[in-house]
Amino acid sequence: MKNLNVLVVGAGIGGLQTALALAKDGHNVTIFESVKQFMEVGAGIRVPPNSSRLGLSWGVDFDSIKKEISMGNLFADYRDKTLVEIPFHDVQRRYGAPYYFVHRADFIDALVQALDKYPDKIKLRMNTKVVEYDFDEPALKTADDVWYHGDLIICADGIKSAVRNEINGTRIDPVDTGDVAYRILVPAKPLLEDPLTSHLVNNPWAVHWMGPEGHAVGYPLRGGELYNIIIDITHSTDLGVPVGEDEWKSQADNTELVKRFEDWCYPVRKLCGLTGQYLKWKLADFDQLDRWVHPSGKVALLGDSSHPMMPYLAQGAAQATEDAATLQAALSHHQDVPGALRAYEKQRKPRAAYIAKNTRVIQEWLHLYDGPERDRRDELMKHDNPQNPIFWADTNRKDWLFGHDARKLLDDDGGDDAASKIPDLPPYPAREASVYLNNDNGNKSHANARLN
Ligand SMILES: Cc1cc2nc3c(=O)[nH]c(=O)nc-3n(C[C@H](O)[C@H](O)[C@H](O)COP(=O)(O)OP(=O)(O)OC[C@H]3O[C@@H](n4cnc5c(N)ncnc54)[C@H](O)[C@@H]3O)c2cc1C
Ligand SMILES: *[C@@H]1O[C@H](CO)[C@@H](O)[C@H](O)[C@H]1NC(C)=O
Ligand SMILES: CC(=O)N[C@H]1CO[C@H](CO)[C@@H](O)[C@@H]1O
Ligand SMILES: CC(=O)N[C@H]1CO[C@H](CO)[C@@H](O)[C@@H]1O
């Protein structure tokens, strides 16, 4: 189809990229965003190869962003003993694009600037909240009581999506994963000046330190000016004021952080010591939805509104990017909107659901207590096979994740094509050893996750 009039709700990473992808094919797009201005989330984001490639194809100028190219994922225990290194030196050659570390604000800026390449095609309406839908028309109403009509509506309105319940038919609330995330940025200079930590900035690996009931991930940003830290820990070990109903809250100082990690290795303690104010995020997800497309066939979910996941595979935004690419391909190949949206849903749902489920598996392995199951994990991590609990350490899974071309549509007669190619889920740790099944850290939702 050509020259469609598309309404996109939400100008997050998902909505902005959808607009770029569809404008590139000549469609007209209006984006509705409720906030007045983009919120500056001081944090990094990892952009995996096939995702950066898609952005480039839509006109996102990665060259103008100060970024690092990831050398790989390194996993160490909380005493800083390296357990496995998964180098990404062959990523460019193998998957046709680099793996970047970028500042989230820089990434959003680049996406917003790319909108200017399509001045007649894309309209961005900030400070415009969508309050009502007519699914059959389809049309949407904004808070100032104006109705907008289009050929289709894409709802990229995030994990708290208000329209998801109506598309799903029943209310579905995100469930607590048992973990909370801290997003921290520190200046890189003090790390560079210390011979025990300078390598963290000089060699841009994503370093994962794993310990009881938590892990920390660190990587440099902005050409070595900043260092980004994400700390993910269970609620019961989250010291200080817990995250309230709001999704984030700022902390006055790092006293609790320093205490929480006092028996971890020197680099982690050093990072906690450098921390000033930081944000706490509650991590939530939900079981797979039966449908992403409203029965009218004209309104579909995209991004976190349909597949929120924990950040443990650094894939949330990347999956929204793939959503946008597949949607672009489906609209171009199909003759009617409902047919295109069905093809989009069929291709994207199993892949996104599998990745979300993997974040639940890796969560359990990352946070084990010291003991025999942890020792077994450390051994499993050394082998390139499907039993390895680290997703990318199995080359087949890594190829499946990074080698996917989201613009290539499954052929319609291919039957269960997408599902049949999905690798097996890595095993969970033994039940007795689980941090989540044996205490209050969201044991119900974990028991469910293991069943599904
Ligand atoms: C700690 C942490 C680290 C992460 N790290 C990574 C990473 O390294 N790599 C990665 O790929 N992903 C990562 N993610 C995940 C990633 O941030 C999300 O998956 C992604 O930002 C989701 O984008 P989205 O556009 O779907 O939703 P959002 O970014 O939530 O955007 C939704 C937008 O819709 C707007 N909106 C909502 N309702 C309305 C309405 N009624 N009317 C108008 N506008 C509305 C909102 O204001 C918002 O701007 C991480 C997440 C967390 C929490
Ligand atoms: C797309 O927008 C242009 C002007 O911005 C307009 O001339 C054209 O009619 C629009 N097309 C559709 C299908 O709405
Ligand atoms: C969109 C895109 O660039 N896809 C690429 C992903 O990686 C595979 C494997 O290298 C390529 O064949 C695709 O072209
Ligand atoms: C129609 C539909 O998708 N219904 C689903 C709503 O969400 C719950 C929880 O994921 C599912 O069980 C329903 O099937």
Side-chain angles (χ1 to χ4, degrees):
M1 282 171 291
K2 289 205 166 25
N3 305 319
L4 292 170
N5 181 12
V6 185
L7 310 181
V8 173
V9 185
I13 292 173
L16 290 171
Q17 297 199 103
T18 299
L20 292 172
L22 300 187
K24 168 105 193 166
D25 275 4
H27 304 298
N28 284 3
V29 186
T30 310
I31 317 172
F32 302 87
E33 170 54 57
S34 54
V35 303
K36 264 195 203 123
Q37 271 180 327
F38 290 105
M39 194 174 71
E40 272 265 333
V41 174
I45 186 159
R46 288 175 276 171
V47 183
N50 265 13
S51 193
S52 55
R53 183 117 203 98
L54 292 168
L56 290 167
S57 79
W58 301 326
V60 181
D61 182 8
F62 280 101
D63 287 342
S64 68
I65 305 180
K66 270 196 199 172
K67 60 195 171 300
E68 343 286 316
I69 293 179
S70 173
M71 293 179 68
N73 285 341
L74 187 154
F75 289 81
D77 65 17
Y78 67 107
R79 308 211 151 86
D80 207 23
K81 181 178 147 210
T82 298
L83 297 167
V84 64
E85 285 180 357
I86 303 149
F88 287 169
H89 59 81
D90 61 343
V91 154
Q92 168 83 49
R93 185 180 52 80
R94 204 173 170 106
Y95 309 112
Y99 191 130
Y100 295 130
F101 298 151
V102 297
H103 193 296
R104 212 168 258 265
D106 297 345
F107 189 36
I108 296 274
D109 272 357
L111 293 177
V112 172
Q113 272 168 30
L115 301 180
D116 293 341
K117 298 195 172 150
Y118 308 95
D120 320 320
K121 293 287 165 200
I122 302 179
K123 262 195 205 76
L124 170 59
R125 297 184 184 277
M126 298 298 287
N127 197 15
T128 311
K129 184 174 178 161
V130 173
V131 294
E132 199 180 328
Y133 292 83
D134 178 334
F135 294 98
D136 296 310
E137 180 58 19
L140 56 78
K141 191 174 91 171
T142 52
D144 52 359
D145 249 345
V146 182
W147 280 95
Y148 294 83
H149 298 254
D151 296 306
L152 70 149
I153 302 179
I154 297 300
C155 308
D157 52 349
I159 188 166
K160 290 171 157 177
S161 170
V163 66
R164 175 174 61 234
N165 288 337
E166 290 182 80
I167 289 179
N168 183 59
T170 53
R171 190 182 164 103
I172 163 153
D173 289 322
V175 298
D176 194 338
T177 61
D179 285 357
V180 52
Y182 304 167
R183 292 172 142 171
I184 299 168
L185 272 184
V186 298
K189 197 156 171 276
L191 296 171
L192 283 166
E193 286 165 353
D194 182 338
L196 293 176
T197 53
S198 57
H199 64 283
L200 295 175
V201 183
N202 288 329
N203 308 325
W205 288 80
V207 181
H208 300 62
W209 290 276
M210 307 178 286
E213 299 204 33
H215 75 286
V217 185
Y219 53 84
L221 282 182
R222 279 205 181 139
E225 288 168 20
L226 297 168
Y227 196 77
N228 182 62
I229 314 154
I230 309 154
I231 286 179
D232 305 283
I233 57 175
T234 59
H235 290 308
S236 54
T237 62
D238 170 29
L239 303 181
V241 186
V243 195
E245 278 315 301
D246 295 339
E247 61 188 4
W248 63 272
K249 89 193 287 302
S250 36
Q251 286 289 111
D253 64 68
N254 65 354
T255 328
E256 283 122 8
L257 189 66
V258 169
K259 188 161 164 36
R260 169 65 178 78
F261 290 95
E262 64 188 1
D263 55 351
W264 286 46
C265 59
Y266 177 76
V268 172
R269 281 186 282 126
K270 170 112 187 174
L271 292 169
C272 294
L274 291 173
T275 299
Q277 287 217 320
Y278 62 95
L279 300 175
K280 283 189 184 186
W281 296 71
K282 203 161 28 187
L283 295 177
D285 64 3
F286 49 68
D287 287 345
Q288 184 181 170
L289 299 172
D290 284 346
R291 56 180 184 232
W292 290 9
V293 180
H294 187 271
S296 72
K298 295 169 188 165
V299 182
L301 299 170
L302 181 146
D304 273 13
S305 67
S306 51
H307 51 69
M309 57 184 80
M310 287 181 289
Y312 301 170
L313 288 184
Q315 277 285 325
Q319 287 308 301
T321 310
E322 290 186 7
D323 288 346
T326 303
L327 178 69
Q328 177 189 9
L331 288 173
S332 125
H333 286 89
H334 283 263
Q335 300 314 313
D336 61 308
V337 170
L341 293 186
R342 256 200 315 278
Y344 155 77
E345 177 192 79
K346 182 179 163 209
Q347 179 155 337
R348 295 298 310 150
K349 209 156 67 82
R351 185 172 162 89
Y354 172 74
I355 293 169
K357 217 167 153 44
N358 266 284
T359 68
R360 286 287 192 137
V361 178
I362 205 171
Q363 172 190 30
E364 296 232 19
W365 288 107
L366 288 171
H367 297 174
L368 288 174
Y369 302 116
D370 290 346
E373 190 64 353
R374 193 218 52 186
D375 296 344
R376 194 171 73 89
R377 174 197 73 193
D378 294 357
E379 181 55 36
L380 286 172
M381 281 172 60
K382 293 179 186 150
H383 308 281
D384 182 345
N385 68 31
Q387 302 307 306
N388 193 316
I390 303 301
F391 193 89
W392 315 263
D394 175 23
T395 302
N396 287 334
R397 285 194 306 246
K398 189 176 76 174
D399 283 349
W400 177 87
L401 187 67
F402 291 163
H404 179 65
D405 189 345
R407 291 171 304 187
K408 222 164 115 194
L409 288 187
L410 302 170
D411 81 32
D412 275 337
D413 323 321
D416 220 7
D417 220 358
S420 67
K421 280 189 198 135
I422 287 178
D424 287 339
L425 206 63
Y428 277 99
R431 300 187 76 87
E432 321 80 78
S434 169
V435 167
Y436 296 91
L437 295 178
N438 301 304
N439 66 18
D440 291 337
N441 295 316
N443 49 26
K444 223 158 133 207
S445 79
H446 284 79
N448 283 339
R450 284 193 177 209
L451 285 176
N452 290 321

